[in-house]
């Protein structure tokens, strides 16, 4: 049991603690209420207050509001202790909104301004990932895909021991597959166009099969481990055979021999190919023609 003096001392300490607790709670509530008043934050000229408000919006996932405030702060806070964090939060705010082009721009601005900054590794990684997430489907122009690969490769060069290195490498592999797929569609388009006949005195009968072969071969040369290797290889065989079939007599035998050689190369590479029935028929027709000519 406490005596009367101890009880009075305890009561004073308790009341003092409660006053401080209530004051802190009211202060926090007032601040959060102010942060909720978005228009008030925007109109304020107290930039430290705006900075804290932006951090609160960012932490709560209200990225549009955070970005709007930070757009102003990154210009005003240059050279201050909060400038670096503001720049990174601005980039992440756009990333979280799914505006990946703008996010990559601001991540790039961050690591260029702060090459040894607190968030430089993250900024380089997310700059590349932003571009990766923004790349179009394979049939469209792939300029942004090349840019994303370059950005991710730069991240890996600057931070070879990063725990995100494997993730970056896998993204590069996916982007490279997209480039191969683009080349495959181009080669297939040439193949599907097939023969053409000139309609002027300056052009003559020809075909697009050679273009299909060259496009597919270049893709295999540049990306030898692509998952589309079999599809590109069958396209080369088809194009060589069809080009041989439609060749002028003096070139036909040699081109049929090339088709036969391509058959053996394909069969050696893909002995259990899903295209095996078609491949065997091409070989039968091409070798039959060569034997008859011999």
């Amino acid at each position: 049991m406490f005596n009367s003096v101890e009880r009075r001392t305890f009561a004073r300490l308790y009341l003092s603690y409660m006053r401080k607790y209530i004051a802190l709670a009211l202060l926090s509530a007032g601040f959060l209420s102010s942060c909720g008043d978005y228009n008030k934050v925007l109109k304020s000229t107290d930039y430290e207050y705006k900075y804290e408000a932006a951090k609160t919006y960012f932490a709560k996932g209200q990225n549009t509001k955070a970005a709007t405030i930070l757009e102003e702060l990154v210009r005003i806070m240059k050279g201050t202790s909060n400038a670096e964090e503001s720049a990174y939060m601005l980039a992440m705010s756009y990333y979280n909104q799914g505006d990946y082009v703008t996010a990559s721009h601001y991540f790039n601005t961050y690591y260029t301004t702060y090459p040894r900054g607190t968030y430089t590794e993250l900024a380089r990684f997310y700059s590349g990932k932003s571009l990766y997430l923004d790349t179009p489907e394979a049939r469209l122009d792939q300029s942004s895909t090349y840019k994303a690969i370059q950005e991710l490769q730069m991240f890996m060069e600057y931070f070879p021991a990063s725990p995100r290195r494997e993730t970056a490498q896998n993204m590069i592999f996916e982007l490279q597959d997209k480039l191969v797929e683009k080349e495959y569609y181009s080669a297939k388009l040439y193949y599907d166009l097939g023969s053409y006949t000139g309609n002027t005195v300056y052009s003559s009968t020809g075909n697009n099969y050679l273009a299909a072969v060259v496009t597919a071969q270049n893709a295999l040369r540049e990306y030898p481990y692509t998952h589309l290797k079999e599809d590109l290889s069958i396209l080369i065989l088809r194009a060589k055979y069809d080009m041989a079939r439609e060749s002028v007599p003096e070139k036909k035998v040699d081109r049929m021999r090339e088709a036969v050689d391509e058959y053996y190369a394909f069969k050696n590479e893909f002995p259990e190919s899903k295209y095996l029935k078609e491949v065997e028929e091409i070989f039968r027709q091409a070798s039959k023609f060569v034997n008859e000519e011999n």
Side-chain angles (χ1 to χ4, degrees):
M1 295 290 294
F2 294 119
N3 59 37
S4 60
V5 175
E6 288 173 331
R7 284 198 297 272
R8 285 195 298 272
T9 302
F10 176 79
R12 284 197 303 271
L13 291 172
Y14 178 76
L15 287 171
S16 176
Y17 168 77
M18 288 303 296
R19 287 191 193 100
K20 290 180 180 178
Y21 176 80
I22 292 169
L24 181 61
L26 290 172
L27 180 63
S28 298
F31 175 72
L32 290 174
S33 175
S34 296
C35 283
D37 189 352
Y38 183 53
N39 289 329
K40 182 179 177 181
V41 174
L42 291 178
K43 292 175 183 177
S44 175
T45 56
D46 184 345
Y47 297 114
E48 285 297 325
Y49 166 67
K50 277 191 168 183
Y51 171 69
E52 292 301 328
K55 288 178 68 174
T56 302
Y57 284 129
F58 180 76
K60 291 167 68 175
Q62 296 178 342
N63 293 287
T64 303
K65 291 180 178 179
T68 303
I69 299 167
L70 290 165
E71 284 277 8
E72 177 187 10
L73 292 181
V74 291
R75 296 190 298 271
I76 294 168
M77 289 191 161
K78 283 182 179 179
T80 69
S81 58
N82 296 327
E84 182 182 342
E85 187 176 34
S86 296
Y88 180 72
M89 278 198 300
L90 177 60
M92 281 303 301
S93 295
Y94 280 110
Y95 177 85
N96 292 336
Q97 292 178 66
D99 186 348
Y100 298 121
V101 173
T102 305
S104 181
H105 165 74
Y106 279 117
F107 282 127
N108 186 289
T109 300
Y110 173 89
Y111 70 67
T112 302
T113 307
Y114 307 101
R116 298 181 183 277
T118 305
Y119 308 102
T120 300
E121 179 181 336
L122 287 169
R124 281 194 174 274
F125 173 77
Y126 279 111
S127 178
K129 187 175 181 180
S130 296
L131 294 175
Y132 158 81
L133 291 170
D134 192 62
T135 53
E137 64 166 307
R139 295 179 186 273
L140 303 176
D141 178 71
Q142 294 300 306
S143 300
S144 60
T145 302
Y146 286 106
K147 188 175 180 181
I149 290 173
Q150 182 181 31
E151 195 75 3
L152 288 166
Q153 287 175 334
M154 290 296 291
F155 162 74
M156 291 171 63
E157 287 181 21
Y158 275 93
F159 300 98
S162 172
R164 296 172 181 80
R165 178 184 174 86
E166 185 177 351
T167 303
Q169 184 66 76
N170 289 335
M171 284 192 284
I172 290 174
F173 288 150
E174 287 184 41
L175 293 170
Q176 288 176 337
D177 280 342
K178 188 173 286 190
L179 294 178
V180 177
E181 194 174 349
K182 171 71 171 177
E183 292 304 298
Y184 170 75
Y185 286 133
S186 296
K188 192 173 185 305
L189 177 61
Y190 283 125
Y191 176 79
D192 291 340
L193 288 172
S195 301
Y196 61 85
T197 302
N199 54 11
T200 72
V201 295
Y202 300 105
S203 59
S204 58
T205 301
N207 63 69
N208 294 285
Y209 297 125
L210 181 58
V213 170
V214 171
T215 302
Q217 286 177 335
N218 286 342
L220 287 173
R221 191 176 299 112
E222 190 166 357
Y223 306 104
Y225 303 109
T226 174
H227 70 287
L228 288 171
K229 189 172 187 178
E230 184 178 356
D231 300 287
L232 287 162
S233 297
I234 187 62
L235 198 56
I236 292 171
L237 176 57
R238 288 172 184 159
K240 284 191 172 184
Y241 173 66
D242 287 345
M243 183 165 58
R245 279 193 313 114
E246 298 184 19
S247 292
V248 293
E250 58 268 23
K251 293 182 178 180
K252 198 162 191 173
V253 177
D254 287 340
R255 287 180 175 173
M256 282 293 182
R257 287 198 183 101
E258 286 183 24
V260 171
D261 291 342
E262 194 65 38
Y263 158 83
Y264 284 117
F266 184 94
K267 193 73 181 294
N268 183 61
E269 184 81 22
F270 309 102
E272 298 180 3
S273 172
K274 59 186 176 182
Y275 301 111
L276 202 56
K277 185 175 180 181
E278 178 188 358
V279 165
E280 294 296 348
E281 179 60 21
I282 289 175
F283 172 71
R284 190 181 70 81
Q285 294 291 346
S287 56
K288 178 183 176 182
F289 180 86
V290 171
N291 291 333
E292 286 176 353
E293 288 301 308
N294 288 338

